[in-house]
Amino acid sequence: MSVFADVPQTAPVAVFKLTQDFNNDPFPIKVNLGVGAYRTDEGQPWVLPVVKKVEKVIVHDDRLNHEYLPILGLPEFRSASSRIVLGESSPAIKENRVGAVQCLGGTGALKIGAEFLRRFYNGNNNTRTPVYVSAPTWENHNAVFASAGFVDIRSYKYWDSVKRGLDFVGFLADLESCPEHSIFVLHACAHNPTGIDPTQDQWKQIAKVMMRRKLFVFFDSAYQGFASGNLEKDAWAVRHFVSMGFEMFCAQSFSKNFGLYNERVGNLTVVARDADNLKRLLSQMEMIVRTTWSNPPSQGARVVAITLTSTQLFSEWKNNVKTMADRVLLMRAQLKAKLQALGTPGIWDHITEQIGMFSFTGLNPKQVEYLIKEKHIYLMASGRINMCGLTTKNIDYVAQSIHDAVTKVH
Ligand SMILES: Cc1ncc(COP(=O)(O)O)c(C=O)c1O
């Protein structure tokens, strides 16, 4: 009898399973719209030219080695990351109350932040503090907070499926009715999976209620630059909350905007009340990291730090991000135009109204199943598609297939 005999089998992670099914599909014409990564118009992964360049610089720099990094990570990476989200001239940075923890991707930043909050926020080890995530959200949010020990994970209203837009009234009502001190995970921009963000005016109202109701803001910034193609604009919400005086966390991922998915480059920016609070808080973060991964990997962090701290490389990176954002915009415009030209029933304006990498198509689970089984087009059961999975070569096939799904399957 094995000591592992009682280990239950658990379900595979949907997005990885989808890619596996796609890879195993022998059909010659197939499209993967499920993957959460950028693809070129040739359907290939893209190593950003600026990343290639910086990697060469790193290889030839004899001053670098493979010694351990400090527990909290590469100092220049941490500060450059915080500056990119909070802004060069952020008063909070000038007041020495911003700190950071280099983490393993955005997921690692959420995890370290969640572990800290469970230990020290709203009382010690208060696992009952409600954690609110948007309905719907990136599927890992619930699990990360649950695995940190939080037992009361709830959702706040976000998506209005009839309007195919933001349920702002429902969102505000949840902010008003939740217990004080609840934690709210907010997508900084390019909401995954809906592609719908609050407007600046709506963010202002959200911030006001959250301040009055003493709610904790935990931003998740996984797509800075992807929403609008402009880094400043995509950080607007985070900066607004900082300007209101919130103490808050912001998990940053450089997986998408640097294309450094497997290097696991993330940062947890912490905005504290003052330098003294920050010092104590970072000392505890250090203990949490020490028992989690001890210290982080250097390669991706070096790439990001070198890029962000050089005027020339920074400008090259911004162009690379714009290249990706523009391709997504082009695919959005083309898909909508093709569906309209086909006379596909329904209104397809949401495809161009949504932003970021994903589109929440509004296709129902049966239509999704039809697309996978009959057309070999792989997408998430929620109807979410990655716009980068579309190319000028497969877009006609995808549009016609969506048309067939909508007209044949109800
Ligand atoms: C909303 C959101 N947060 C966080 C992440 C995690 O990113 P990373 O791969 O850097 O852990 C993702 C990745 O898909 C995401 O969509």
Side-chain angles (χ1 to χ4, degrees):
M1 178 74 160
S2 163
V3 292
F4 302 121
D6 292 333
V7 178
Q9 177 72 42
T10 186
V13 174
V15 67
F16 285 87
K17 165 87 167 48
L18 199 70
T19 295
Q20 203 177 23
D21 291 348
F22 170 79
N23 290 337
N24 292 337
D25 186 341
F27 200 69
I29 302 166
K30 55 180 182 174
V31 183
N32 188 357
L33 301 180
V35 62
Y38 181 77
R39 293 288 179 264
T40 63
D41 196 45
E42 284 70 47
Q44 295 302 313
W46 195 45
V47 181
L48 272 56
V50 73
V51 167
K52 256 195 183 152
K53 193 172 188 177
V54 176
E55 283 182 323
K56 283 184 190 143
V57 171
I58 291 172
V59 168
H60 292 109
D61 188 340
D62 291 331
R63 291 166 306 172
L64 297 176
N65 54 45
H66 295 294
E67 290 292 292
Y68 289 122
L69 291 187
I71 295 172
L72 291 181
L74 196 67
E76 52 273 35
F77 165 80
R78 295 161 54 210
S79 53
S81 302
S82 296
R83 281 200 307 274
I84 192 131
V85 69
L86 301 186
E88 283 294 330
S89 54
S90 169
I93 295 178
K94 293 207 173 97
E95 290 156 17
N96 295 319
R97 54 190 184 86
V98 173
V101 186
Q102 183 190 329
C103 293
L104 269 60
T107 310
L110 289 163
K111 170 73 174 167
I112 295 299
E115 289 285 342
F116 177 89
L117 292 174
R118 198 263 295 152
R119 284 166 171 77
F120 299 109
Y121 173 73
N122 194 21
N124 281 354
N125 198 33
N126 191 345
T127 57
R128 303 213 159 270
T129 301
V131 177
Y132 280 81
V133 300
S134 62
T137 193
W138 179 52
E139 69 279 352
N140 218 7
H141 277 154
N142 297 49
V144 165
F145 282 87
S147 87
F150 285 102
V151 294
D152 189 1
I153 297 167
R154 310 181 184 185
S155 53
Y156 60 88
K157 291 190 196 68
Y158 195 84
W159 173 252
D160 180 334
S161 58
V162 177
K163 247 180 29 188
R164 290 193 183 165
L166 181 69
D167 178 2
F168 186 55
V169 173
F171 187 173
L172 279 187
D174 285 342
L175 289 172
E176 291 286 3
S177 63
C178 69
E180 279 193 349
H181 305 295
S182 294
I183 296 164
F184 272 73
V185 180
L186 303 176
H187 297 233
C189 68
H191 183 271
N192 177 7
T194 68
I196 291 290
D197 291 344
T199 62
Q200 292 188 357
D201 229 38
Q202 288 169 332
W203 275 124
K204 284 184 191 164
Q205 292 183 61
I206 292 164
K208 245 191 204 161
V209 180
M210 291 191 74
M211 180 58 87
R212 172 165 49 78
R213 301 237 37 249
K214 302 183 179 64
L215 305 175
F216 187 82
V217 189
F218 197 149
F219 271 109
D220 182 0
S221 176
Y223 298 93
Q224 191 179 355
F226 254 98
S228 65
N230 178 308
L231 294 161
E232 312 295 320
K233 226 171 142 185
D234 287 0
W236 190 90
V238 177
R239 293 176 192 183
H240 177 69
F241 276 73
V242 174
S243 77
M244 298 261 307
F246 280 89
E247 291 177 279
M248 56 185 243
F249 288 175
C250 179
Q252 296 169 264
S253 166
F254 294 100
S255 302
K256 326 272 164 165
N257 55 14
F258 265 86
L260 284 168
Y261 307 92
N262 67 12
E263 292 293 345
R264 312 310 296 137
V265 206
N267 186 60
L268 178 65
T269 285
V270 172
V271 181
R273 176 71 65 235
D274 55 38
D276 177 58
N277 272 295
L278 180 68
K279 186 163 162 273
R280 282 179 286 105
L281 187 152
L282 286 179
S283 75
Q284 293 294 347
M285 291 285 187
E286 206 165 56
M287 290 320 292
I288 296 170
V289 171
R290 179 66 176 150
T291 55
T292 309
W293 51 67
S294 187
N295 48 77
S298 67
Q299 177 70 6
R302 278 179 183 151
V303 171
V304 171
I306 292 170
T307 306
L308 295 185
T309 52
S310 145
T311 314
Q312 171 62 29
L313 295 169
F314 183 59
S315 133
E316 284 179 43
W317 175 58
K318 281 199 289 194
N319 285 335
N320 290 175
V321 173
K322 194 161 180 328
T323 299
M324 296 191 281
D326 284 350
R327 197 179 102 64
V328 171
L329 288 178
L330 184 69
M331 288 300 108
R332 286 188 185 283
Q334 289 194 0
L335 183 62
K336 177 172 120 176
K338 285 181 194 295
L339 290 171
Q340 286 175 337
L342 287 166
T344 310
I347 296 165
W348 299 97
D349 291 333
H350 57 282
I351 294 182
T352 49
E353 281 161 8
Q354 294 169 352
I355 54 173
M357 203 182 260
F358 303 112
S359 182
F360 215 43
T361 56
L363 294 168
N364 66 39
K366 276 193 182 151
Q367 293 164 337
V368 170
E369 197 185 323
Y370 170 86
L371 285 169
I372 295 175
K373 293 241 165 80
E374 303 297 325
K375 303 289 181 180
H376 309 269
I377 295 173
Y378 289 76
L379 67 163
M380 302 291 282
S382 62
R384 186 195 86 169
I385 61 173
N386 179 355
M387 297 309 294
C388 312
L390 292 171
T391 68
T392 44
K393 288 165 215 80
N394 68 24
I395 197 162
D396 285 319
Y397 176 68
V398 171
Q400 182 62 52
S401 302
I402 291 176
H403 178 84
D404 292 350
V406 172
T407 47
K408 289 183 188 162
V409 186
H410 298 108

